[in-house]
């Protein structure tokens, strides 16, 4: 495309108008469909997370439309695939906000992608949902983080596994903001529970040879390994760990294993005994969840993937937004945000999910489960857990003008004692 | 002492791993000067062949050692006939075409098997103990297979008439053609063998790393760095570059961590190519294979 002066001026004045007075831009006529944009990786190394999320998002929108849409209008779902590339995230985020004029955007898998696009949605005043478990710390009026955070999951996982297996912990984590900050949370909870984090190692997302690390783990002789590894390549860690016979001597607990359906990727012998904590497991024994799983299998048809926290929360996230639109009676951004922040709740497959207004995070059930024969067996349930990590640093009720990521420079910089 | 032995073994495995994923690429690049950007996908296809065959009840060893190279070798020959042979001598065009091919393979495999295939095959064989340390016996086997593969390629190139013809074509295609060699057939066979070895490597690594449609991207950069650092000689180049880069990577990864390990590998390759722009065998062992 060549940029002529006329086109440039038209574009510049339009975007100036959009920035200056978004409320005056006619959003939509009553009959126009409501625009719901989803930006999730469906190819590249992160597709193991993104594909099931897109499936459940699609199912939520289909169900809402089958029930008559929202406010008498149909919901139009537009899905972009950023191909596990941050650059495409920023491109599609701008497209969704400025081009499509989306009413809501549900987007991002890695924390790196979230931080790349969150400012875009603030700037364009486009309502943003991030439905993925992450390290906590986002404090942004425009952004709703519905996934679980370390205070909800790691805080349960660390003492449980330390009581069961012992106090010496070896941490392996992915090398970007999620892994770095989550490793700090693990170190903190290990220390809080009187244990010792003997070593912490970080891995770029494309590492597949974990041999040197496995030898180091053998030399360090920990009681358990805590893994925050991410993506398709890192699945090799669990295989190579089992191939060296380590899974029988030093068990693994993980903050990420299973949300990419890794438990279906490795065999039963390799995975048995691993312990994880999430706010959803496909194996939750409740009528609501059994119904959800059956509907998903029918909706997705043959080859339906296993369900995990990310997939379930993408579905519940869509319903949280839909409920807010219904109660607000409009899709306008501020009324919807205000409605969500009244402590809005939906009863989803994971149980009740309630928006916490100080942080725009969610109160949610947390389940602790052990892997057996490629399925999780639920050990403990903790109901309505608050995001206490983010509550330590964020109060949007006192100061709604915030749009920051408090843990950007680590926990100590955010004033959390290690 | 046990630790030294265990780490030494680990480094040896890292070297063998590099050589294994690079050998197929080295043959195609060294013999034909074709830069095959779909190399990673050949490895991926080998992995999928093993997974599908094993899930269908085929013996794992048959799947890894026979089916994977066979299937990918045939795919290689088809690719050469349909695509590569029109592009000999046009390096940039081949680059683009094979890159497109790589995207096509990823797309096809994703649409057939989904983004994350259940690869429930575990590394066969058990565990080997070295004092207090344990290693996978399968890793030892992979080291052995890599060495055997290198010897086999050497013998074929050095002892058979096919090897002689292939080396002749590699040195001077026009002269070989004038002497009655069908260079087109030599290229087809070479590409097929290169693809088959890539398929074998992908199949052998499937139980260790798992298989995803996009797993090729993980291998391709390392394979290219190894082949380019090695230079023109197929075997001596791959072997010397694997020993150097795999050794540096293994030692740095053990002493510091995987990030520095990868950085050390790349820095070594950059320094090496600055000092020897034509790779190790461009400077040393020039007469070798």
């Amino acid at each position: 495309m060549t940029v002529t002066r006329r086109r440039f001026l038209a574009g510049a004045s339009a975007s100036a108008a959009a920035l200056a007075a978004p409320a005056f831009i006619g959003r939509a006529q009553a009959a126009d469909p409501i625009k719901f944009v989803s930006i999730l990786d469906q190819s590249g190394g992160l597709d193991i997370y993104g594909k099931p999320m897109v499936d459940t998002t699609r199912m939520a929108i289909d169900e809402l439309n089958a029930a008559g849409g929202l406010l008498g209008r149909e919901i139009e779902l537009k899905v972009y695939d950023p191909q596990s590339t941050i650059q495409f995230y920023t491109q599609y985020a701008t497209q969704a906000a400025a081009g499509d004029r989306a009413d809501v955007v549900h987007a991002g898998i890695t924390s790196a992608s979230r931080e790349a696009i969150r400012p875009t949605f603030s700037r364009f005043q486009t309502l943003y949902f991030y439905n993925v478990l992450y390290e906590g710390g986002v404090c942004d009026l425009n952004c709703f983080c519905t996934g679980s955070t370390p205070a909800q999951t790691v805080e349960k996982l660390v003492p449980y596994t330390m009581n069961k297996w012992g106090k010496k912990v070896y941490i392996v984590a992915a090398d970007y903001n999620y892994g770095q900050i989550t490793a700090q949370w693990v170190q903190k909870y290990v220390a809080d529970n009187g244990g010792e984090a003997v070593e912490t190692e970080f891995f770029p997302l494309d590492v597949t040879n974990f041999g040197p690390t496995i030898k180091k783990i053998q030399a360090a002789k920990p009681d358990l390994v805590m893994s925050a590894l991410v993506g398709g390549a890192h699945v090799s860690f669990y295989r190579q760990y089992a191939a060296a016979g380590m899974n029988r001597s030093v068990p693994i607990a993980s903050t990420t294993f299973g949300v990419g359906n890794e438990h279906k990727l490795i065999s039963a012998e390799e995975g048995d005994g691993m312990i994880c904590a999430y706010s959803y497991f496909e194996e939750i024994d409740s009528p609501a969840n059994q119904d959800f799983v059956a509907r998903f299998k029918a909706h997705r048809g043959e080859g339906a993937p296993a369900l995990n926290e990310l997939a379930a929360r993408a579905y519940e996230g869509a319903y949280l937004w839909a409920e807010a639109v219904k109660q607000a009676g409009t899709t306008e951004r501020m009324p919807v945000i205000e409605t969500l922040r009244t402590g809005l709740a939906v009863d989803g497959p994971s149980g009740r999910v309630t928006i916490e207004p100080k942080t725009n995070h969610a109160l949610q059930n947390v389940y602790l489960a052990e892997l057996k024969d490629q399925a999780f067996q639920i050990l403990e349930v903790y109901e309505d857990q608050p995001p206490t990590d983010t509550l330590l640093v964020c109060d949007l009720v006192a100061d709604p003008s915030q749009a920051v990521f408090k843990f950007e420079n680590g926990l100590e910089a955010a004033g959390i004692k290690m | 002492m046990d630790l030294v032995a265990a780490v030494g073994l680990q480094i040896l495995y890292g070297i063998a791993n590099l050589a294994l994923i690079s050998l197929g690429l080295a043959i195609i690049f060294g013999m034909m000067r074709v830069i095959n950007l779909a190399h990673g996908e050949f490895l991926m296809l080998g992995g999928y062949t093993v997974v599908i065959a094993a899930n269908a009840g085929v013996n794992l060893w048959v799947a890894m050692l026979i089916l994977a190279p066979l299937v990918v070798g045939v795919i290689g020959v088809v690719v050469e006939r349909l695509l590569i042979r029109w592009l000999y001598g046009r390096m940039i065009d081949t680059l683009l075409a094979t890159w497109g091919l790589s995207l096509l393979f990823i797309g096809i495999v994703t649409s057939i098997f989904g983004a994350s295939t259940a690869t429930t095959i575990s590394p066969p064989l058990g565990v080997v103990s070295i004092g207090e340390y344990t290693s996978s016996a399968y890793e030892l086997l992979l080291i052995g297979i890599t060495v055997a593969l290198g010897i086999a390629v050497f013998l074929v190139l050095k002892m058979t008439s096919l090897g002689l013809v292939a080396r002749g074509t590699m040195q001077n295609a026009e002269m070989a053609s004038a002497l009655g060699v069908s260079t087109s057939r030599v290229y087809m066979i070479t590409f097929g063998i290169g693809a088959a070895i890539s398929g074998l490597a992908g199949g052998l690594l499937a139980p260790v790393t798992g298989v995803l449609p996009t797993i090729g991207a993980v291998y391709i950069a390392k394979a290219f760095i190894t082949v380019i650092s090695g230079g023109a000689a197929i075997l001596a180049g791959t072997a010397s570059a694997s020993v150097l880069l795999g050794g540096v990577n293994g030692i740095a990864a053990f002493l510091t961590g995987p990030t520095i390990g990868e950085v050390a590998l790349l820095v070594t390759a950059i320094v090496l190519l600055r000092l020897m722009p034509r790779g190790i065998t461009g400077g040393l062992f020039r007469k070798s294979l």
Side-chain angles (χ1 to χ4, degrees):
Chain A
M1 190 182 84
T2 55
V3 179
T4 62
R5 186 166 52 183
R6 176 175 305 192
R7 184 176 293 182
F8 175 76
L9 287 175
S13 55
S15 47
L19 284 174
F24 296 137
I25 305 278
R27 270 275 149 143
Q29 301 300 312
D32 284 353
I34 299 171
K35 284 187 180 144
F36 185 114
V37 173
S38 178
I39 310 175
L40 296 165
D41 305 295
Q42 295 150 73
S43 51
L46 300 171
D47 55 7
I48 58 173
Y49 308 108
K51 289 220 155 191
M53 291 179 77
V54 170
D55 289 339
T56 53
T57 305
R58 200 159 263 146
M59 170 164 133
I61 302 301
D62 286 351
E63 285 177 0
L64 287 164
N65 278 334
L70 285 175
L71 315 174
R73 290 160 62 189
E74 198 193 339
I75 308 165
E76 182 189 317
L77 172 64
K78 196 159 195 178
V79 181
Y80 291 108
D81 174 14
Q83 304 164 28
S84 307
T85 308
I86 298 288
Q87 179 201 336
F88 287 130
Y89 262 105
T90 46
Q91 190 181 320
Y92 287 135
T94 312
Q95 168 68 23
D100 302 336
R101 298 260 186 85
D103 292 290
V104 64
V105 181
H106 289 232
I109 294 178
T110 63
S111 297
S113 67
R114 180 197 68 237
E115 286 313 299
I117 58 180
R118 197 173 50 78
T120 307
F121 297 126
S122 283
R123 191 162 64 242
F124 284 100
Q125 306 208 339
T126 304
L127 179 57
Y128 172 42
F129 274 71
Y130 176 61
N131 300 311
V132 178
L133 69 100
Y134 84 111
E135 66 282 1
V138 168
C139 191
D140 183 342
L141 185 75
N142 187 55
C143 170
F144 288 83
C145 299
T146 61
S148 61
T149 56
Q152 292 165 321
T153 53
V154 181
E155 200 239 343
K156 315 284 182 302
L157 186 62
V158 167
Y160 186 92
T161 51
M162 277 171 54
N163 279 335
K164 192 174 160 114
W165 294 326
K167 303 221 174 271
K168 263 173 91 178
V169 183
Y170 196 107
I171 304 167
V172 290
D175 194 9
Y176 68 99
N177 51 4
Y178 167 77
Q180 296 273 357
I181 297 165
T182 302
Q184 291 181 9
W185 280 114
V186 174
Q187 286 165 352
K188 174 181 159 54
Y189 291 126
V190 167
D192 287 355
N193 287 285
E196 183 198 358
V198 285
E199 176 85 59
T200 305
E201 273 197 86
F202 297 102
F203 301 85
L205 287 180
D206 58 353
V207 168
T208 54
N209 182 9
F210 290 88
T213 297
I214 291 171
K215 290 290 172 296
K216 278 165 88 171
I217 295 175
Q218 292 181 343
K221 299 193 184 62
D223 295 316
L224 71 111
V225 171
M226 183 65 76
S227 149
L229 296 172
V230 172
H234 283 184
V235 178
S236 351
F237 170 76
Y238 305 104
R239 279 172 185 287
Q240 291 164 17
Y241 194 77
M246 289 293 289
N247 57 337
R248 267 165 261 136
S249 52
V250 183
I252 300 178
S254 175
T255 64
T256 47
F257 185 88
V259 289
N261 292 338
E262 290 94 337
H263 54 302
K264 306 288 180 192
L265 286 173
I266 69 171
S267 68
E269 310 89 77
E270 290 167 324
D272 277 0
M274 247 188 259
I275 295 186
C276 305
Y278 300 114
S279 77
Y280 176 84
F281 287 99
E282 183 173 299
E283 294 81 1
I284 293 172
D285 187 20
S286 71
N289 181 49
Q290 281 158 2
D291 183 43
F292 171 68
V293 174
R295 285 204 316 276
F296 179 69
K297 298 231 152 98
H299 184 271
R300 180 61 174 66
E302 210 174 309
L307 290 161
N308 51 58
E309 173 176 332
L310 306 192
R313 197 46 51 82
Y315 176 86
E316 291 165 340
Y319 268 92
L320 276 167
W321 165 79
E323 187 58 33
V325 170
K326 264 188 222 162
Q327 290 189 15
T330 171
T331 59
E332 288 287 337
R333 184 181 77 109
M334 273 324 286
V336 172
I337 289 179
E338 292 308 331
T339 312
L340 281 162
R341 287 163 53 72
T342 55
L344 187 100
V346 296
D347 288 312
S350 75
R352 173 155 290 206
V353 185
T354 312
I355 297 293
E356 195 290 310
K358 280 188 178 170
T359 56
N360 279 3
H361 282 51
L363 301 169
Q364 54 199 297
N365 296 349
V366 170
Y367 304 83
L368 204 78
E370 179 172 343
L371 189 62
K372 180 116 181 58
D373 286 336
Q374 296 191 309
F376 283 102
Q377 294 184 333
I378 309 237
L379 303 169
E380 306 271 344
V381 186
Y382 310 87
E383 287 189 346
D384 279 328
Q385 293 300 305
T388 45
D389 39 19
T390 312
L391 278 165
L392 287 175
V393 293
C394 177
D395 188 350
L396 289 167
V397 174
D399 179 7
S401 69
Q402 300 181 85
V404 289
F405 176 36
K406 299 271 188 182
F407 298 158
E408 192 168 7
N409 300 312
L411 300 188
E412 266 172 343
I416 291 172
K417 255 206 234 86
M418 292 294 289
Chain B
M1 197 54 226
D2 291 344
L3 181 64
V4 173
V7 171
L9 190 66
Q10 194 56 55
I11 290 170
L12 206 58
Y13 171 69
I15 292 169
N17 195 324
L18 266 190
L20 192 60
I21 61 173
S22 310
L23 191 57
L25 185 72
I27 288 175
I28 291 173
F29 179 68
M31 300 281 259
M32 306 162 67
R33 297 284 133 197
V34 165
I35 295 185
N36 176 23
L37 279 183
H39 175 68
E41 280 60 47
F42 283 169
L43 291 162
M44 178 268 285
L45 289 171
Y48 268 95
T49 309
V50 168
V51 169
I52 293 159
N55 286 346
V58 178
N59 178 293
L60 185 59
W61 297 106
V62 174
M64 286 194 304
L65 297 174
I66 299 172
L67 278 182
L70 200 66
V71 169
V72 181
V74 169
I75 292 173
V77 169
V78 172
V79 164
E80 200 274 343
R81 282 293 96 178
L82 294 179
L83 187 71
I84 309 290
R85 72 171 165 140
W86 310 105
L87 300 171
Y88 284 123
R90 292 156 60 187
M91 196 173 265
I92 301 295
D93 298 345
T94 337
L95 215 75
L96 263 181
T98 50
W99 185 46
L101 192 68
S102 117
L103 296 178
L104 178 74
F105 280 142
I106 294 173
I108 291 175
V109 171
T110 308
S111 55
I112 298 176
F113 302 109
S116 53
T117 301
T119 63
T120 49
I121 45 169
S122 313
L125 307 177
V127 173
V128 179
S129 307
I130 307 163
E132 300 177 33
Y133 297 89
T134 51
S135 276
S136 159
Y138 188 68
E139 290 185 357
L140 291 182
L141 179 79
L142 282 186
I143 297 174
I145 289 180
T146 309
V147 172
L149 204 58
I151 293 172
V153 171
F154 177 82
L155 290 179
V156 168
L157 284 177
K158 205 76 181 176
M159 303 288 179
T160 65
S161 58
L162 174 72
L164 186 69
V165 167
R167 281 186 292 146
T169 310
M170 178 172 122
Q171 278 173 8
N172 192 333
E174 278 178 19
M175 186 56 76
S177 180
L179 290 171
V181 173
S182 164
T183 51
S184 149
R185 237 183 91 211
V186 170
Y187 283 145
M188 182 180 82
I189 293 170
T190 312
F191 198 88
I193 289 176
I197 289 178
S198 307
L200 177 67
L204 287 168
L205 288 173
V208 190
T209 56
V211 188
L212 282 172
T214 47
I215 196 84
V218 171
Y219 297 125
I220 187 130
K222 276 193 184 167
F224 264 105
I225 292 165
T226 309
V227 170
I228 303 294
S229 302
I234 297 169
L235 278 175
T238 309
S240 55
S242 301
V243 169
L244 179 68
L245 300 178
V248 166
N249 177 272
I251 293 168
F254 183 78
L255 291 180
T256 56
T259 314
I260 304 294
E262 302 279 296
V263 170
L265 186 155
L266 294 174
V267 168
T268 310
I270 291 168
V271 171
L272 176 80
L273 288 176
R274 177 66 190 81
L275 297 176
M276 299 191 217
R278 308 189 52 174
I280 296 173
T281 53
L284 307 168
F285 334 106
R286 285 167 75 160
K287 295 275 176 192
S288 55
L289 271 172

